[in-house]
Amino acid sequence: MKHMTICDVCFRHCDIPEGKSGFCKGRTCKEGKVIPFNYGKITSIALDPIEKKPLRRFYPGSKIVSIGSFGCNLNCPFCQNYEISWSEEVEFMKKRARYISPEEILKIAKIYIDKGNIGVAYTYNEPLIGYEYVLDCARIISKNGLKNVLVSNGMVELPILDKLLPYIDAMNIDLKSFDEDFYRRLLKGNRDQVLKFIEAANRSCHIELTTLIIPGENDSVEHMRDLSSWIASLENGKNIPLHISRFFPAFKMTDRKATDIDLVYRLADIAKEKLNYVYTGNC
Ligand code: SF4
């Protein structure tokens, strides 16, 4: 009989047969134990401006060594980063990935201090599907006086987040919509889990949030009022930066045009009624 094991990292709780992958393609079952198949397998590494994460109120003007692996626990049809997160390209990225140990990541981070580097950002794909690697890197980076930045969709179980929070200095978290139905219908996800994730992160480190505006899906004034009011209701919520970003046709959503720039600005004005720091992106 084949062994199957439940993964407890995210809301999907995949039942993974021995030797197969979970939904995200980043975790597998080996000898009856769920392990991160993508541990340390880096597909992208770059020294990015911190504003590209995006973080606008955390060490502005600095740079950060940014690393990513492959796979994602969501399957957003509008994914703007699908080459490394989804599609058949994942198989290609798996082959392209190069193992870099946490100790090597520290060495790289130190080399670039002279170029303005402040630490390491875990980004590009969903880093928390391989949280063990993030944890091992974050411990060593933090111990050496550098910063850890996490860019996440916020769709993992809170005990996983709790393990990481002591080492994380800043996060950018996607709040893709305030509409429960949007998360359920388009993402097969769970909005409330994201809201709880954001609340927990906000109690522990600097956070900024990102909302991609998709025409016909989450682009109404009422929706932006609800979303920004909820953010403002959090602890020090008025000072949480919100990035409102413009959608471009991508992945499975090529049936509509890029978001109208004037609409992005209008929604930013609505958000500014509640929040002190609202930024527009891709405009
Ligand atoms: S992290 Fe991946 S394998 Fe684990 S439950 Fe989520 S989608 Fe499934």
Side-chain angles (χ1 to χ4, degrees):
M1 200 177 95
K2 283 205 168 169
H3 216 107
M4 294 185 84
T5 309
I6 308 286
C7 175
D8 58 6
V9 171
C10 87
F11 68 102
R12 293 193 184 278
H13 298 131
C14 296
D15 200 347
I16 312 177
E18 184 73 24
K20 302 283 184 200
S21 327
F23 177 89
C24 61
K25 307 261 191 255
R27 302 185 75 77
T28 186
C29 176
K30 193 174 175 197
E31 293 166 10
K33 210 174 152 209
V34 176
I35 58 163
F37 174 69
N38 64 356
Y39 185 97
K41 292 178 181 166
I42 302 300
T43 58
S44 310
I45 180 162
L47 183 66
D48 283 342
I50 194 87
E51 288 78 8
K52 204 176 160 189
K53 297 307 98 194
L55 289 176
R56 290 290 289 269
R57 300 192 61 78
F58 184 77
Y59 292 86
S62 65
K63 301 256 172 59
I64 192 149
V65 169
S66 301
I67 59 174
S69 184
F70 55 81
C72 188
N73 57 340
L74 287 181
N75 188 341
C76 309
F78 47 83
C79 184
Q80 308 277 297
N81 209 12
Y82 65 95
E83 292 93 344
I84 57 174
S85 296
W86 269 111
S87 83
E88 60 280 2
E89 297 290 336
V90 167
E91 293 308 315
F92 171 72
M93 296 309 285
K94 276 184 189 171
K95 287 185 193 126
R96 204 184 91 171
R98 180 167 73 95
Y99 178 72
I100 307 183
S101 70
E103 291 74 18
E104 283 176 279
I105 292 291
L106 173 64
K107 267 191 211 158
I108 295 165
K110 281 184 170 174
I111 287 169
Y112 285 101
I113 288 174
D114 283 353
K115 299 245 184 290
N117 181 40
I118 59 165
V120 175
Y122 311 91
T123 177
Y124 302 136
N125 70 317
E126 172 50 50
L128 297 186
I129 60 169
Y131 77 90
E132 294 91 338
Y133 181 70
V134 175
L135 186 56
D136 289 349
C137 289
R139 278 194 181 120
I140 197 167
I141 289 295
S142 181
K143 202 172 157 194
N144 282 271
L146 294 168
K147 305 292 179 200
N148 286 299
V149 165
L150 193 56
V151 181
S152 175
N153 61 32
M155 291 287 309
V156 299
E157 298 289 353
L158 291 184
I160 302 295
L161 176 65
D162 287 344
K163 290 182 199 205
L164 291 159
L165 282 178
Y167 309 101
I168 301 299
D169 299 285
M171 277 195 218
N172 186 294
I173 307 163
D174 277 345
L175 179 53
K176 294 174 193 285
S177 171
F178 197 65
D179 179 7
E180 274 186 281
D181 182 60
F182 177 100
Y183 268 92
R184 209 175 15 241
R185 181 174 47 84
L186 274 181
L187 315 182
K188 313 278 180 281
N190 179 336
R191 181 205 66 168
D192 289 350
Q193 190 166 45
V194 179
L195 301 188
K196 284 187 186 130
F197 185 103
I198 291 170
E199 285 168 351
N202 185 44
R203 285 193 292 269
S204 176
C205 67
H206 174 85
I207 67 163
E208 303 194 13
L209 305 175
T210 297
T211 303
L212 180 75
I213 302 299
I214 303 158
E217 299 291 351
N218 59 354
D219 57 349
S220 73
V221 165
E222 294 71 31
H223 171 264
M224 185 50 69
R225 282 219 168 88
D226 290 347
L227 186 138
S228 51
S229 298
W230 180 79
I231 297 170
S233 74
L234 298 177
E235 194 182 320
N236 197 30
K238 284 182 186 308
N239 290 325
I240 296 175
L242 174 64
H243 300 261
I244 299 179
S245 196
R246 188 178 177 218
F247 156 93
F248 287 98
F251 196 28
K252 299 176 193 166
M253 214 175 248
T254 50
D255 60 335
R256 58 199 85 191
K257 291 186 177 155
T259 319
D260 180 63
I261 292 179
D262 289 341
L263 175 63
V264 175
Y265 288 135
R266 164 106 179 97
L267 295 176
D269 285 342
I270 299 291
K272 281 177 192 166
E273 291 170 8
K274 303 283 179 189
L275 305 172
N276 293 331
Y277 305 106
V278 179
Y279 304 96
T280 53
N282 293 341
C283 288

